[in-house]
Amino acid sequence: MKVVKLDPVNPDQDKLLEPAELIKNGELVAFPTETVYGLGADATSDKACLKIYEAKGRPPDNPLIVHINSFEMFFKYTDFHDERILKIMEEIWPGPITLVVKKRNIGDVPTSGLDTVAIRMPGHPIALKLIELSDRPIAAPSANISGRPSPTRASHVISDLGNRIPMIIDGGETFFGLESTVIQPVQDKIFILRPGPFSPEEIEEKFKMKVVLSGTEQHVPRAPGMKYRHYAPNKKLVIANDLDEILKLYKENPNALVLCSKETAEKFEGNKYILGSRENLYEIAKNLFHSFRYLDQSDYSIGIIEKFQEAGIGYAIMNRIKKAASKN
Ligand code: TXA
Ligand code: MG
């Protein structure tokens, strides 16, 4: 596998010609987005998209996100004309939000045979340039082995997929560290199929529509992928509600690693990994998946993770932590 190192802010266009050529030829290229690294393939080719499922070991009924770089591309591959929502998407995109809408000119492999497509304009210069030079939409799930934490650094992709794909573009650490918010407008409501960096509060404020969180109402649409166990370290992970509970769990498991905020770390003497400040949940989000991988590579036998406030991006942080802990 070849690694192409690029500046994430001002990527050298010449160095993106070879990866773009690979995409055009139906090959796989891993690349950074502002959320997590994606494993990209030509979204207009079922054959190319099939390689994504093979490389990741992804269940065939879990559809991919299609990445675009313009509204021209959006209209070519979707059948969605709600002017009010489109105007809001023009303000939000490029950014960490994925819209599920009726599809057009997209095959059954990237969409798992659904009549909808999950589509997103990523807010990352490398991703946008790669789409432009490939001159087609790029289907890309997170670039991890299915079930593992999403990759937020090139080294994560290399350790999962290094021997399975021809190229990875290394653009350093991703900005948010959590996957995009997936939303689906249905009549006068917005369903959040997967929480992400764009919080339920922000969505409500932007769209001025009723926001429904997946799993809270019956018969609501779901992202097929959300039924799979995800984001999980291989080691056991338990959630602690507060410092007292951390101390109790640590006493029971002296070979544990405590994943916590710097505020908690100041009061806790023991094996710890500092995720960031509780005052800046974006910092916690950015380090979360790396901490899962760190735990797996360490000699600690179990992880104890601090509970964070479920507001703003904290809602998505706790969604990922609960899923990771639900494994055991
Ligand atoms: O931030 C992200 O979204 C990253 C970067 C690479 O863009 N991608 C990502 O893709 O997280 P993936 O495949 O790991 O997650 C895609 C999610 C899955 O839960 C999938 O089920 C859902 O989107 N999805 C895809 N197509 C859908 C559809 N037509 N209807 C409902 N959910 C869909
Ligand atoms: Mg994923």
Side-chain angles (χ1 to χ4, degrees):
M1 181 213 33
K2 188 167 169 182
V3 179
V4 176
K5 223 175 152 59
L6 281 182
D7 182 320
V9 183
N10 264 316
D12 180 349
Q13 175 155 333
D14 286 351
K15 291 198 178 153
L16 280 169
L17 292 172
E18 193 187 347
E21 207 51 41
L22 282 172
I23 295 282
K24 284 186 188 176
N25 289 333
E27 299 296 338
L28 303 183
V29 175
F31 62 96
T33 80
E34 78 278 36
T35 56
V36 300
Y37 274 78
L39 179 59
D42 178 353
T44 65
S45 160
D46 272 359
K47 207 172 146 213
C49 290
L50 211 50
K51 291 185 183 169
I52 293 180
Y53 288 88
E54 281 166 11
K56 283 188 55 121
R58 184 179 178 96
D61 65 348
N62 190 5
L64 312 174
I65 291 176
V66 172
H67 297 71
I68 54 170
N69 71 337
S70 68
F71 275 90
E72 194 188 330
M73 229 183 231
F74 178 86
F75 290 118
K76 188 162 175 195
Y77 296 102
T78 66
D79 187 4
F80 182 76
H81 307 280
D82 186 316
E83 290 298 331
R84 207 184 72 86
I85 289 178
L86 284 169
K87 218 165 160 260
I88 297 163
M89 292 314 297
E90 272 175 30
E91 290 168 23
I92 295 176
W93 274 345
I97 194 157
T98 297
L99 192 65
V100 174
V101 292
K102 200 147 180 273
K103 76 174 180 185
R104 215 157 73 89
N105 302 326
I106 288 276
D108 281 336
V109 174
T111 57
S112 301
L114 297 173
D115 59 3
T116 53
V117 61
I119 199 158
R120 165 165 119 82
M121 199 186 292
H124 194 294
I126 293 178
L128 289 172
K129 213 23 148 191
L130 182 65
I131 300 164
E132 182 194 319
L133 295 173
S134 307
D135 194 24
R136 67 205 62 207
I138 297 181
S142 48
N144 51 281
I145 297 274
S146 212
R148 300 272 299 134
S150 292
T152 56
R153 304 178 181 188
S155 60
H156 300 162
V157 182
I158 294 168
S159 92
D160 273 20
L161 301 170
N163 54 4
R164 301 185 187 198
I165 61 174
M167 181 174 283
I168 164 168
I169 303 170
D170 179 351
E173 261 185 74
T174 59
F175 183 70
F176 288 107
L178 292 182
E179 309 86 344
S180 65
T181 309
V182 180
I183 63 168
Q184 183 168 12
V186 181
Q187 287 155 3
D188 55 346
K189 293 179 188 162
I190 298 268
F191 291 92
I192 299 184
L193 309 190
R194 179 179 71 185
F198 218 91
S199 70
E201 298 94 315
E202 286 170 309
I203 289 170
E204 184 140 37
E205 193 197 300
K206 267 268 169 221
F207 289 87
K208 308 218 173 350
M209 290 162 78
K210 183 169 166 23
V211 170
V212 184
L213 303 171
S214 179
T216 57
E217 244 181 47
Q218 269 185 341
H219 312 300
V220 301
R222 274 178 169 275
M226 294 305 278
K227 72 172 178 279
Y228 293 107
R229 201 177 68 203
H230 258 146
Y231 323 116
N234 293 322
K235 303 252 173 82
K236 183 176 164 137
L237 187 71
V238 288
I239 304 171
N241 287 310
D242 50 30
L243 184 60
D244 283 348
E245 201 169 355
I246 289 177
L247 293 170
K248 181 175 157 277
L249 288 164
Y250 195 73
K251 212 167 165 188
E252 292 164 9
N253 305 279
N255 192 30
L257 176 68
V258 172
L259 313 173
C260 62
S261 65
K262 93 175 198 301
E263 289 82 3
T264 298
E266 279 160 14
K267 297 181 197 139
F268 172 71
E269 313 240 331
N271 308 320
K272 56 197 164 189
Y273 178 97
I274 301 174
L275 289 161
S277 169
R278 227 186 269 148
E279 301 301 313
N280 179 8
L281 290 178
Y282 285 95
E283 201 182 347
I284 308 276
K286 193 169 171 155
N287 292 319
L288 186 66
F289 288 148
H290 181 69
S291 77
F292 290 173
R293 286 176 181 262
Y294 177 86
L295 171 66
D296 273 347
Q297 280 169 10
S298 72
D299 293 329
Y300 302 111
S301 46
I302 174 175
I304 300 169
I305 190 162
E306 172 176 343
K307 183 179 168 183
F308 294 96
Q309 199 197 348
E310 283 183 289
I313 196 171
Y315 183 72
I317 291 172
M318 284 313 296
N319 169 270
R320 305 306 192 267
I321 291 178
K322 284 177 192 167
K323 282 198 156 239
S326 73
K327 181 184 173 187
N328 341 116

